């Protein structure tokens, strides 16, 4: 009997641990905010195509995970006189946060409203997040060709993050996509049910938020 009970407890522990693991993707390198250097010479702003751009997100907890999207993205890439991408600034409308795995009337609205509340992004006070490129480095990888660094501002906090991206040019358009990566929400002061504040395991929400970007400009 004791052996059966022990087996059940171990099975429950493994299940809870596997369900609460962080979203897919490498953790970003996060540092203090960096200075944005002005590009030399003439610069052309290539505007973001909001209809073709989106940010996909994943959040997880012991009972599972949720996936969603942010659609309303504005901003631009900066291209210099040598046709090189030298910068960019992107504005994410956090009021457009949308869950995609729950159906209307079955928890979808409740989750979306909670994400918009002061527990998380507090969109009434901070409706937008901002990202400004501070450095682009050519770098070879299986599914990326650049390392992007930039200042990410969420709520009152601005930190510099780095992540890989595949950036290409075609017929006047700029395409930028990323493999999955994660950011630690607590670094921007979002600590609701975080392990960092001692939340018990069955109430825990993972500190890591999974992100994937698809940005088109021009």
């Amino acid at each position: 009997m004791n052996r059966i009970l022990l087996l059940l407890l171990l099975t429950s522990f493994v299940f809870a641990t596997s369900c609460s693991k962080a979203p897919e993707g490498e953790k970003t390198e996060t540092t203090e905010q960096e200075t944005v250097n002005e590009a030399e010479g003439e610069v052309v702003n290539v505007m973001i195509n909001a209809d073709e751009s989106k940010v996909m997100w994943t959040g997880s907890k012991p009972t599972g995970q949720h996936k969603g999207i942010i659609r309303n993205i504005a901003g631009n890439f900066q291209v210099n006189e040598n046709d090189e991408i030298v910068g960019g600034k992107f504005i994410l409308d956090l009021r457009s946060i949308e869950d995609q795995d729950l159906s209307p009337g079955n928890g979808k609205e409740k989750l979306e409203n909670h994400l918009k509340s002061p527990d998380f992004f507090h969109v009434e006070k901070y409706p937008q997040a901002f990202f400004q490129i501070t450095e682009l480095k050519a770098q070879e990888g299986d599914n990326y060709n650049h390392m992007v660094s930039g200042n990410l501002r969420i709520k009152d906090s601005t930190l510099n993050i780095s992540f890989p991206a595949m950036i290409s040019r075609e017929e006047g358009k700029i395409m930028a996509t990323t493999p999955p990566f994660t950011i630690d929400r607590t670094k921007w002061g979002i600590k609701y049910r975080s392990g960092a504040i001692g939340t018990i395991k069955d109430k825990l929400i993972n500190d890591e938020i999974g992100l994937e970007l698809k940005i088109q400009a021009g």
Side-chain angles (χ1 to χ4, degrees), residues 19 26 52 58 60 77 82 107-108 114 149 205 208:
C19 287
E26 292 188 15
E52 299 295 334
T58 303
S60 67
F77 285 101
N82 297 319
K108 176 180 171 69
H114 196 191
S149 297
I205 295 176
E208 299 294 325

Side-chain angles (χ1 to χ4, degrees), residues 6-191:
L6 179 61
L7 180 60
L8 289 173
L9 289 172
L10 286 172
T11 302
S12 298
F13 175 77
V14 171
F15 176 75
T17 302
S18 64
C19 287
S20 62
K21 67 180 181 180
E24 179 184 358
E26 292 188 15
K27 292 184 179 181
T28 58
E29 179 184 348
T30 305
T31 59
E32 295 298 314
Q33 178 180 358
E34 295 186 5
T35 301
V36 179
N37 296 318
E38 294 292 331
E40 297 180 359
E42 293 187 12
V43 173
V44 175
N45 292 325
V46 183
M47 306 307 293
I48 299 296
N49 183 337
D51 293 333
E52 299 295 334
S53 301
K54 58 185 177 181
V55 174
M56 289 78 77
W57 59 263
T58 303
S60 67
K61 56 184 181 178
T63 54
Q65 65 177 17
H66 292 292
K67 291 180 177 290
I69 195 169
I70 299 172
R71 295 185 186 276
N72 293 350
I73 303 171
N76 60 75
F77 285 101
Q78 294 182 323
V79 179
N80 68 10
E81 53 196 3
N82 297 319
D83 205 33
E84 300 169 327
I85 301 172
V86 292
K89 183 175 183 179
F90 314 109
I91 304 167
L92 281 64
D93 186 346
L94 298 179
R95 294 167 297 186
S96 72
I97 291 175
E98 178 185 339
D99 169 82
Q100 293 192 308
D101 53 43
L102 295 173
S103 57
N106 192 32
K108 176 180 171 69
E109 297 88 352
K110 181 179 179 181
L111 175 59
E112 291 172 352
N113 288 335
H114 196 191
L115 291 173
K116 296 172 186 178
S117 78
D119 284 341
F120 288 97
F121 295 104
H122 198 178
V123 302
E124 185 175 351
K125 185 175 182 181
Y126 308 100
Q128 298 170 324
F130 301 86
F131 180 78
Q132 186 162 15
I133 294 173
T134 55
E135 187 176 31
L136 278 171
K137 278 186 180 180
Q139 190 168 349
E140 292 298 324
D142 292 337
N143 52 1
Y144 60 90
N145 58 9
H146 284 81
M147 186 62 67
V148 181
S149 297
N151 294 326
L152 174 62
R153 189 172 93 203
I154 301 175
K155 300 174 83 169
D156 282 331
S157 299
T158 303
L159 294 169
N160 196 271
I161 64 172
S162 298
F163 54 86
M166 179 66 73
I167 301 176
S168 60
R169 307 283 300 277
E170 184 177 347
E171 297 180 353
K173 293 182 172 61
I174 299 173
M175 300 290 298
T177 60
T178 70
F181 65 94
T182 68
I183 62 171
D184 181 347
R185 63 188 173 95
T186 65
K187 293 182 182 295
W188 286 267
I190 305 171
K191 296 182 179 180

